Structures are given as C-alpha cells and as structure tokens.
Amino acid sequence: MGKVYKVALLGFGTVGKGTYRSITVNAAEIKRRTGLDIEVSRILELKEEAINCGIAPKEIFTQDINDILNDPEIVAVAEIIGGKEPAATFMLQAMAAGKNVVTPNKALVAARYDEFKAAAEKYGVEFRYEAAVGGAIPVIETINRSLWANSFNQVQGIVNGTTNYILTKMDEENMSYEEALKQAQAKGFAEQDPTADVEGIDTANKLTILMAEAFGVYMPPTEFERVGITGVTKADLEAAAAKNCKIKLIANAERQADGTIKASVKPTEIPCDNPLAGVRNEFNAILLRCNMADDIFLEGRGAGQDPTGSAMASDLIAICVELAK
Amino acid sequence: MGKVYKVALLGFGTVGKGTYRSITVNAAEIKRRTGLDIEVSRILELKEEAINCGIAPKEIFTQDINDILNDPEIVAVAEIIGGKEPAATFMLQAMAAGKNVVTPNKALVAARYDEFKAAAEKYGVEFRYEAAVGGAIPVIETINRSLWANSFNQVQGIVNGTTNYILTKMDEENMSYEEALKQAQAKGFAEQDPTADVEGIDTANKLTILMAEAFGVYMPPTEFERVGITGVTKADLEAAAAKNCKIKLIANAERQADGTIKASVKPTEIPCDNPLAGVRNEFNAILLRCNMADDIFLEGRGAGQDPTGSAMASDLIAICVELAK
C-alpha cells in the first residue's frame, strides 16, 4: 500500500458533506486519474447532528482545531465553517502550520485576498478557492490554467443562483419580485434574510475574485458599482424582451483602452444571442472573452452539497498531486 | 535573464500561425501567470508562402526535421502538419528524442491512441492534444483535471462546426441540406469534399478521444454507431420543433448499468432545455454529466486560427510549467 494523502475538513455542514462525499464516493476514480489515495482523516465539527449524520465515521470528528494543526500527516485543510471568525484565524493558523488551505468562503477571500495570498507565500503553501465562484463550475482553474495562453478582454458572469432564480420566475411566470423571492425562500434557494444575495453583495465578492484571477488586479467589492435586483420590475423585463433581451444580474469586468479594469455588478439587459441570456433558474454561468480563444462559456450549478463539494475536492486533489511530484 | 523554454512547430498553416501568435502576442501575460519565458525557436515548413507570411521571422524556419529533433534546447514539439504521414512518424521520432509532443490531429490521436500513449510513457514525455476536441474549448483539461473529483455518467457533444452550421441554417433559414452545405463551403466552414464532416467521421474521432479521457476506455471510431447528417430533412427539423427540440449531430457516450460505455454519433433530437440545443452555427459545445458536480456545460469556437492555436499553446505552456518545477 502506497502513501495516503490525508486532508482535514473544518466544518461539516452542506459543503463539508459534499467535499467528504466527493473524495470518498469517487476514491477509485480519483486514484485512476491521479494514482493517489486521498483520505479525509479529521473533521472539526461541534454540532452533534452533523457528527451523527452517518456520512462520515464518528471517530474522525474532533472539537479541537489543534488535533488538526498539530497532526503532521495532514497536508491540507478545507475551511468550510463560513463567516469571518474563527474561519479566517483557522486558515491563517493552518498555513502557519505548513498546511495547504482550501475554502469556498467568497466573502472572506474577497475581503482579505492579499493577506491570505501573502500568508500562503510566506509559509510556502497553496491557497485555493475554486468553490468560491460558480460552485461546481471550474472557472478559477479555467482562467488560471486551461486558458493561460490567453489574455482576457472581459469577464461576464451570472454567479448568484438566488437572484437568477428570482429574475427567471419574474420573467417566465410573470411573478412580482416579492412573489419570486418568497418562492426562492420556500425552495431553499434564498436565505430568510436575502440581503447579501438580492443587493448584489455576494455577486460583488465573486467578481473581486474573478478579476484578481483574470486580470491580476485586486479590487475590493466596495470599490466598484453595485446595484441589486430589488428595483427590477415586470415593466423592465418586458421592455428588455421587446429588445430581444433578458435582464440578468451581471458581474462584469472589462479591460479599458487605457489598460485599467472597469467593474460593476448590476441588472443588465443581455441580448438573447449571448449565452448568458439562456441561463435559467438557480444556474450560474461565466463568459470569458479571450484575445485568442474568443468567447468561452461555462455553465453549471453554483451551489448545492455535492456540486460545491466537488469543487472543494478538486482543489484538495490538485494539492495532493503537486505534493506527489 | 532566466531560462527560456524553447518549443518547435511542425507546420505553419492556420493552426501553426495561431499557436505561434498565442505564444508571442501573449508572452507577457503567460509570464505573469506562470513566471516562464516560452519561445517558438524553430518551425518546420516547406511552403514559401507560409515562410514569407510575415508572422514569424524567416530565420527560425527549417526544412529539415533533424534541426528540431537534434536540438537539445527544444523541450516540446507541436505537430500541426495534419494527415497521417509524416505527422505520425515525426511525433514518434520527437518522443524518442525526449521531446514532449502536442497535436490537434484528432484523426491520428483517435486511430492510434494507445500507441502514442505507450510511446510517451516509454520515453518519459508528455503527449497532449487539447486542440483535438472542441478547438478553443479546454474540454480535455476540464475532464482530466478541473473535474477530477467526479466520475462521469455521460458526455454529450457538438464537436463539429461544419455540421452544426448546416443544421442551424436548415433550421433557422429554411435551407435545404444542399443549400446549407454550399453556404458553409462558401464561408470556409466546410471543405470542398465534406465527407469527413457530414458523415460524422470527424465527430467520431473526437468522441473516441473524449471517451478515453472521461471513462479511461479506448474505443476506436470504427467500433460504435455513426450516422452523418446527409439524411436530415426539413421535415425532421419541423417534427423536432413540434416537440420543442432541435436536431443536432451529437457525439454521445454514457455509462450503462453494467459499467460498460455505450457510444454513438448521430443526429439527435435535443430538448430545448438542454443547453446543447442553443448551440448555433459553427460553435462547439460539450455537456459533461458528472456524479458530483452535476451538469457542466462548455461552449466556444471549435475551429479557427487563434482559437485552436490558443489550445495548442495551453498544452505547450503546461509542459513548460511541469519542466520548471
């Protein structure tokens, strides 16, 4: 039996479970593709309900972060606690302990991008966050690696499923904003306090990350125009339809003639021949306008246990593959 | 000045020019992303017209493959001659000389997949072919790496621009097959002898490659059902429309209950809520049905100088990045 690469999860909520499942359910497939055995050896979780859910064996749970930080066999830590603290402190502590770090925490990555990148460099570890933008869609990897022979002219995205669901229902089923929001909440696509989604805050966090990757420019989400969807009316949607357009909450960043990047998050009329116009309900999509490849369009699930978990797992695998070289 | 990674091109036709342009026009961006200086140091080309086209300096052209095979500074060779010979022999000779090999030659990769893979392993080099399927769309990298936390249930693709253009014109502009083919030929989307495209041979080659990557199963293009588009009529398109479907030439491979893979290339009615139905004209797209990420959809240009060249360049960059580690 060869070396087993051990990773730890901080938090065992929805995305934690999906990360665990992606690594365990697909262990044989991951081995076929990479030659590696990867194991979730520890999970930090306080809630009894999560510990007892039956997805992961109880004996790998701990309530003490030090069991993970001090375990020399653990090569990577996935932060899936959410929020600001203790998530940020745990990530920085894990890096200081020489562990590679993965997170889907878009708000934290967007707010403290330079700090986490600097810490990762200082401690010689990787800091990855594929799941932070577009859920299951491998947009970070596509920008940073698959399309690295390109320079990007523009990045346009629908990166918030809640608002896209609401706009789709308003457009296709003639619902009011309030009715559509209520249905989104009933289906679990919107929080009880939907502010971060409907005001475009979540989308702005993701745009900050997309811009940093595509253009190498860090622009905090507070430094560009942000308009949510609460002001979108049926009349707006009808006016757009008359022009053969759909209104979508678009994260947009484009290179200006002077080389600077102009960014905004706002409801935007998208012509129906742009593939973003056809992205319906809770789906996410990103259109990358490249100087050589021309337009590359990616669509998929922006949220959900297994979809987001698979993006977390892809980062963990990438780290183990590098270590194995 | 640091090390310069030198690569060579065999052939300087359309894709050769695009490969050269991607590496030179985007040199600064490639350096920003990877830290590397990559240079096309040699080009094998016999045609005076290509040598004199002004895109690459004349002094790097050669008419002798040995100038490339015997140059110890060249780390990778891009085969862009097309056809069977001398392309295949040159690729195998380059591998034997310790050079990594990149090609967009789908017919050759599909016909002799195992042989090239074995040669690459024997000589300890990489064999990459991102540009062989979907042109600019990074589908090979997405299957092999970005989605490596997934097992694939199904791969469905529109991977031939010629046939998609013809079907789109028949559907949207009420053209006959013959009229649409003529227009495709006039626009440069179809060859004067369109057999390989319209009979689904090109699509079948690409499906063989997609299956090998997604399922780890090599099935030659002669071993599955293949039906072209010459029999598609306006009546078929109308009947599909009545069911809210589009007819597309679909490369399909799916995992059966017994674990085997069933593959086919044939005109297929695609429901309009499948994003493949919205892929128009000469565009290509691939839908990857994953066991964790769910559906991931990729769309872009399947052909053309710079789009295909950028996929070739991405493989060359990947090789240099590995060498630099």
Side-chain angles (χ1 to χ4, degrees), chain A residues 33 141 145 294 301, chain B residues 33 141 145 152 294 301:
Chain A
R33 289 151 168 266
E141 189 81 354
R145 188 181 153 95
D294 200 356
R301 290 201 178 270
Chain B
R33 288 149 168 267
E141 189 81 354
R145 187 182 155 94
F152 297 98
D294 200 358
R301 290 200 178 270

Side-chain angles (χ1 to χ4, degrees), chain A residues 199-261:
Chain A
E199 296 296 353
I201 298 166
D202 176 72
T203 299
N205 286 332
K206 290 162 176 169
L207 181 56
T208 287
I209 299 171
L210 285 173
M211 272 193 286
E213 309 308 310
F215 302 112
V217 170
Y218 172 59
M219 200 188 297
T222 47
E223 288 185 16
F224 50 82
E225 182 186 11
R226 173 176 56 80
V227 181
I229 64 161
T230 57
V232 177
T233 64
K234 287 186 203 179
D236 295 332
L237 291 161
E238 281 161 18
K243 289 179 266 183
N244 206 24
C245 289
K246 298 281 184 191
I247 293 182
K248 297 290 183 184
L249 182 64
I250 296 292
N252 183 62
E254 50 188 301
R255 206 185 286 274
Q256 306 295 289
D258 66 0
T260 60
I261 308 299

Side-chain angles (χ1 to χ4, degrees), chain A residues 139-190:
Chain A
V139 62
I140 305 287
E141 189 81 354
T142 301
I143 290 174
N144 281 340
R145 188 181 153 95
S146 308
L147 294 176
W148 53 14
N150 287 275
S151 174
F152 296 99
N153 298 319
Q154 185 179 15
V155 175
Q156 262 191 327
I158 295 171
V159 288
N160 179 273
T162 307
T163 46
N164 202 52
Y165 182 87
I166 292 170
L167 291 174
T168 303
K169 290 293 162 186
M170 289 174 69
D171 184 51
E172 295 184 1
E173 297 179 26
N174 204 30
M175 288 185 191
S176 68
Y177 168 76
E178 290 73 20
E179 288 169 324
L181 171 60
K182 239 176 229 169
Q183 190 175 105
Q185 286 170 325
K187 291 216 169 193
F189 295 145

Side-chain angles (χ1 to χ4, degrees), chain A residues 21-22 25-26 29-30 32-34 136-138 141 143-152 213-216 291-301 306-307 310 313-314 317-318 321-322 325, chain B residues 21-22 25-26 29-30 32-34 136-138 141 143-152 213-216 291-301 306-307 310 313-314 317-318 321-322 325:
Chain A
R21 274 174 47 78
S22 292
V25 172
N26 286 334
E29 182 71 3
I30 293 167
R32 177 182 78 77
R33 289 151 168 266
T34 66
I137 306 169
E141 189 81 354
I143 290 174
N144 281 340
R145 188 181 153 95
S146 308
L147 294 176
W148 53 14
N150 287 275
S151 174
F152 296 99
E213 309 308 310
F215 302 112
N291 76 334
M292 291 289 155
D294 200 356
D295 289 1
I296 297 287
F297 177 73
L298 313 174
E299 182 178 353
R301 290 201 178 270
D306 291 349
S310 89
S314 78
I317 296 167
V321 165
E322 282 305 306
K325 275 177 184 162
Chain B
R21 274 174 46 77
S22 292
V25 172
N26 287 333
E29 182 71 4
I30 292 167
R32 177 181 78 77
R33 288 149 168 267
T34 66
I137 306 169
E141 189 81 354
I143 290 174
N144 281 340
R145 187 182 155 94
S146 308
L147 294 176
W148 54 15
N150 286 276
S151 173
F152 297 98
E213 309 308 310
F215 301 112
N291 76 334
M292 292 289 155
D294 200 358
D295 288 1
I296 297 286
F297 177 73
L298 313 174
E299 182 178 354
R301 290 200 178 270
D306 291 349
S310 89
S314 78
I317 296 167
V321 165
E322 281 306 306
K325 273 174 185 163

